[in-house]
Amino acid sequence: VFRIGQRILDRVSLPVAVGQGEAVVTPSIGAAVFITSDSEQSLCERADAAMYQAKRQGKAQLVMSARPDTSDNERSQIIAIN
């Protein structure tokens, strides 16, 4: 998941010609891996929470959500790639 996310960040972050100049996009990506206890809604909610965590961490971030069955301590240690 992280390799794919990093490839997306790398490609989307490339400068794009706009008129006489360039624009650079710095995406915030939240990801969640489906587990059997997930519903569609809970999976999307975890990915959405991870995306907002990525936004809080700064530009061009990928954050993977914690599994819902992790402890509060583990949940607070969301993995991020810069």
Side-chain angles (χ1 to χ4, degrees), residues 2-16:
F2 285 114
R3 283 189 292 159
I4 293 168
Q6 189 61 52
R7 289 176 62 195
I8 292 169
L9 284 175
D10 292 344
R11 299 247 176 9
V12 172
S13 298
L14 293 173
V16 177

Side-chain angles (χ1 to χ4, degrees), residues 23-40:
V24 177
V25 176
T26 54
S28 299
I29 300 174
V33 175
F34 180 80
I35 57 174
T36 55
S37 62
D38 268 328
S39 65
E40 290 176 15

Side-chain angles (χ1 to χ4, degrees), residues 19-73:
Q20 299 294 328
E22 329 184 294
V24 177
V25 176
T26 54
S28 299
I29 300 174
V33 175
F34 180 80
I35 57 174
T36 55
S37 62
D38 268 328
S39 65
E40 290 176 15
Q41 182 168 346
S42 66
L43 178 65
C44 289
E45 287 171 354
R46 289 190 303 112
D48 195 49
M51 180 199 60
Y52 283 105
Q53 178 67 30
K55 288 180 176 295
R56 285 190 295 275
Q57 289 180 198
K59 297 179 178 182
Q61 296 285 319
L62 166 65
V63 173
M64 183 75 186
S65 78
R67 290 183 15 208
D69 60 346
T70 58
S71 70
D72 288 340
N73 185 41

